[in-house]
Amino acid sequence: MAIDKETVKRIAFLSRLKVDDDKIEATEEEFNKILQWVDQLAEVNVDGVEPLISVNDGCLTLREDEVTEGNQSEAVLANAPMKEYGYFTVPKVVE
């Protein structure tokens, strides 16, 4: 399948991209290169290759939940440079 100038204009319209008239030919060439690359991928023999659900083959190890000491807000805030009402405070960065 080859892309022509009218198809480039339609794709640009549908994707809400502004493609200048002097760039349409270059965009057409880029689209055709992409389609050629996809055609190359279709030629690859994938018989017997299982589809990947994830790139990570390993599974996560589960562990029991352990209750730890909580309510340590004073200890956590002890080294905070600025704190107010039991929370960290930071300088305002947005006007």
Side-chain angles (χ1 to χ4, degrees):
M1 174 181 181
I3 300 287
D4 59 358
K5 289 180 175 77
E6 291 304 314
T7 307
V8 170
K9 289 178 184 178
R10 178 139 174 84
I11 291 171
F13 172 77
L14 291 173
S15 60
R16 306 297 191 257
L17 295 173
K18 182 181 181 213
V19 179
D20 296 326
D21 290 336
D22 59 335
K23 304 279 185 183
I24 288 181
E25 191 169 321
T27 305
E28 176 186 356
E29 290 174 14
E30 287 297 317
F31 282 170
N32 283 319
K33 286 180 187 177
I34 292 169
L35 288 176
Q36 287 173 358
W37 182 73
V38 170
D39 287 341
Q40 277 184 323
L41 288 177
E43 295 173 6
V44 174
N45 182 7
V46 292
D47 293 339
V49 177
E50 292 292 322
L52 285 177
I53 295 172
S54 172
V55 295
N56 299 324
D57 267 344
C59 61
L60 297 175
T61 56
L62 300 177
R63 58 177 170 76
E64 292 293 323
D65 289 335
E66 296 178 13
V67 178
T68 59
E69 292 182 42
N71 297 327
Q72 299 283 328
S73 60
E74 289 180 15
V76 170
L77 291 171
N79 292 325
M82 296 187 301
K83 56 189 170 234
E84 189 173 323
Y85 305 114
Y87 297 99
F88 292 100
T89 56
V90 295
K92 185 176 181 180
V93 293
V94 178
E95 295 297 323

